[in-house]
Amino acid sequence: MAVVTESLPAVSRTAVGVAALRAYESSRPDRLFDDPYAAAFAAAGHPALPATGRGDAQARLGMLFYPQVVIRTRFFDDYLLGSGCPQVVLLAAGLDARAFRLAWPPGTRVFEIDLPEVLAFKDEVLAAHGASPACERVVVPADLRGNWAKAVRDAGFDPAVPTAWLAEGLLIYLAREDAERLLTAVRELSAPGSRIAFEHRPGTPPESLIARARATEGGEPVTALWRGGLGGRAPEWLAAHGWEPSTVTRAELAARYGRPSDDDATAGGFVTAVL
């Protein structure tokens, strides 16, 4: 299989590293989830990783993010399957294989939105491994900085149907105005009963994951892409736009899942909201 990785945008290349962490977790006997395609994504995408992020430096950076990636994957898995929504939208779906690996209720439609070159890379790897979706999967090639709302509606998305939205690992790469623009479009497309989830960090203390990543060798190609998103004001923004938000810390989830907490777990976490 000759998968072309050079065309992957810089932001999307970070998904290759995340796939490697999901593959490692999937190999554990006490794994919190099983992603049978993560190793294939990691192997196919490895040439696209920045040279400064390879070897020991890459391993250190990966282990820094490992607890956060594992807990958020399991949390978002549970969020989506427990949403009760027949329509799911993965914003910047990247190398997320949930359409293939989760036990979706009958009739669920999962829309994956990402750049055309990212989805092409993903589908080539999945096809090479004979992957079949466990739901109705709809791929939507679109730039989230453009008119993606029209693209997803043209692909069959129904704004009258309650939807579970997921913006996993996305908002930190957007400036505040871009994050607000994206979430405003989500709100306009959401029927009553819709839900949304993404990472939430109420502050950035000196010992935070963000600060440690910036100080870690090999971290600069990733951290240079971060723009901050909504900062620590996500619950307030959501509430002001008609959502009912709630938050949970990684420390709470780590205790629930039987995993040790990383140093930043009390500050880092997730926000979910219902309309």
Side-chain angles (χ1 to χ4, degrees):
M1 176 181 61
V3 179
V4 177
T5 58
E6 290 79 2
S7 62
L8 287 177
V11 170
S12 301
R13 292 173 190 171
T14 64
V16 175
V18 172
L21 298 180
R22 287 178 173 165
Y24 177 74
E25 175 66 16
S26 297
S27 71
R28 291 177 53 148
D30 63 342
R31 56 185 173 268
L32 295 183
F33 57 85
D34 184 21
D35 187 340
Y37 306 105
F41 287 135
H46 184 73
L49 293 175
T52 54
R54 291 181 179 167
D56 293 341
Q58 179 185 339
R60 284 194 294 271
L61 188 65
M63 287 301 100
L64 179 64
F65 282 103
Y66 176 68
Q68 187 252 1
V69 167
V70 169
I71 287 175
R72 87 175 184 192
T73 299
R74 171 61 183 271
F75 176 71
F76 287 149
D77 283 358
D78 293 346
Y79 153 74
L80 291 172
L81 290 180
S83 70
C85 295
Q87 212 166 226
V88 171
V89 178
L90 306 177
L91 298 164
L95 304 182
D96 183 328
R98 290 186 175 96
F100 298 82
R101 65 178 181 81
L102 295 185
W104 296 100
T108 303
R109 304 183 76 195
V110 175
F111 293 84
E112 297 187 10
I113 305 177
D114 213 318
L115 296 171
E117 54 268 40
V118 175
L119 294 173
F121 168 80
K122 179 177 185 176
D123 283 352
E124 185 176 349
V125 174
L126 289 168
H129 288 79
S132 298
C135 60
E136 182 183 352
R137 176 180 179 247
V138 183
V139 173
V140 184
D143 190 331
L144 289 171
R145 296 167 298 182
N147 193 3
W148 64 270
K150 180 180 185 302
V152 74
R153 293 187 68 164
D154 289 348
F157 174 86
D158 187 351
V161 174
T163 302
W165 300 86
L166 177 59
E168 181 178 19
L170 169 62
L171 296 189
I172 194 172
Y173 293 99
L174 302 179
R176 173 176 289 275
E177 58 269 25
D178 293 327
E180 291 181 347
R181 187 180 305 112
L182 174 73
L183 294 176
T184 296
V186 168
R187 174 65 178 85
E188 292 171 350
L189 290 171
S190 296
S194 293
R195 300 174 181 273
I196 190 168
F198 50 88
E199 290 93 333
H200 170 55
R201 188 176 303 277
T204 308
E207 70 279 8
S208 73
L209 179 62
I210 289 176
R212 284 183 289 144
R214 286 179 170 144
T216 299
E217 180 188 358
E220 195 276 336
V222 175
T223 61
L225 300 171
W226 292 346
R227 299 293 179 265
L230 295 180
R233 304 290 296 174
E236 292 81 0
W237 191 96
L238 289 167
H241 290 80
W243 299 90
E244 297 178 15
S246 61
T247 61
V248 62
T249 67
R250 288 206 313 278
E252 293 173 295
L253 293 172
R256 184 188 306 174
Y257 301 150
R259 289 293 176 89
S261 298
D262 62 294
D263 295 339
D264 189 42
T266 56
F270 310 93
V271 60
T272 60
V274 62
L275 191 62

